[in-house]
Amino acid sequence: MTDHIYLTSEKLSVDEITQLVSAPDCGAVSLFVGSTRDSFEGRVVKQLEYEAYTPMAEAEMRNICAMLREKWRIKHIAVFHRLGVVPVMEASVIIAVSSEHRTDSLEAVSFAINALKSSVPIWKKEIYEEGVAEWKENKECKWRRSSSLTT
């Protein structure tokens, strides 16, 4: 049983991350891939930029892995998140979980992305076509304020 936690400015690979969690005794590998979309609320998005407090983010990602192991019978976990610039159609986050049966891995992946968005200190800035940038808050985030910050 292995937990792979990684914050990187490099492009994420679904194939490589899938290989990290694959195992001969697992009949299921479930994935969540979150990518940069080209629009938000009618505005054209050029790219996203992510920042994190890395030591705290990695510690919280490890806590999420521990929670998954308490709730489900799973083998391997990978939680990868991009930092820096993420262009449209590239992955910002990939979560992969393997298990003997699909229900455990599917439920664990869903829980993991929701937990990540609510508790891991990673911040997202949307850069729009007209050059305006806005820091965005996750509605699930524990420390959420009532409005987003504008730069």
Side-chain angles (χ1 to χ4, degrees):
M1 294 191 299
T2 309
D3 298 342
H4 304 275
I5 306 299
Y6 199 55
L7 296 169
T8 181
S9 60
E10 301 298 317
K11 188 173 182 177
L12 301 178
S13 167
V14 171
D15 290 340
E16 289 174 16
I17 295 168
T18 300
Q19 286 302 311
L20 288 175
V21 301
S22 295
D25 59 340
C26 292
V29 172
S30 298
L31 296 165
F32 173 82
V33 179
S35 59
T36 302
R37 63 178 176 263
D38 66 358
S39 62
F40 181 75
E41 295 181 348
R43 297 171 80 184
V44 176
V45 174
K46 286 178 45 180
Q47 65 190 31
L48 300 179
E49 292 180 15
Y50 288 93
E51 292 183 10
Y53 177 53
T54 301
M56 190 180 202
E58 289 173 342
E60 191 58 34
M61 291 161 80
R62 281 192 223 45
N63 288 339
I64 292 168
C65 291
M67 286 189 280
L68 298 180
R69 294 194 181 285
E70 287 176 15
K71 295 176 176 285
W72 294 279
R73 293 176 46 156
I74 54 181
K75 179 84 176 211
H76 301 300
I77 305 167
V79 182
F80 282 54
H81 204 296
R82 283 277 293 271
L83 298 177
V85 174
V86 183
V88 170
M89 293 182 56
E90 285 191 15
S92 299
V93 59
I94 299 177
I95 299 173
V97 176
S98 61
S99 62
E100 187 175 353
H101 302 287
R102 70 180 177 271
T103 301
D104 288 321
S105 64
L106 286 167
E107 290 176 0
V109 164
S110 180
F111 180 92
I113 186 58
N114 291 329
L116 183 139
K117 291 180 78 63
S118 72
S119 66
V120 177
I122 297 174
W123 299 277
K124 173 175 74 174
K125 183 177 10 174
E126 288 184 347
I127 313 299
Y128 301 104
E129 183 177 54
E130 65 272 14
V132 175
E134 286 184 11
W135 287 100
K136 307 305 275 188
E137 293 181 327
N138 290 324
K139 62 184 174 206
E140 306 91 346
C141 187
K142 292 180 200 176
W143 55 83
R144 183 174 186 256
R145 295 181 350 185
S146 60
S147 65
S148 62
L149 304 172
T150 304
T151 58

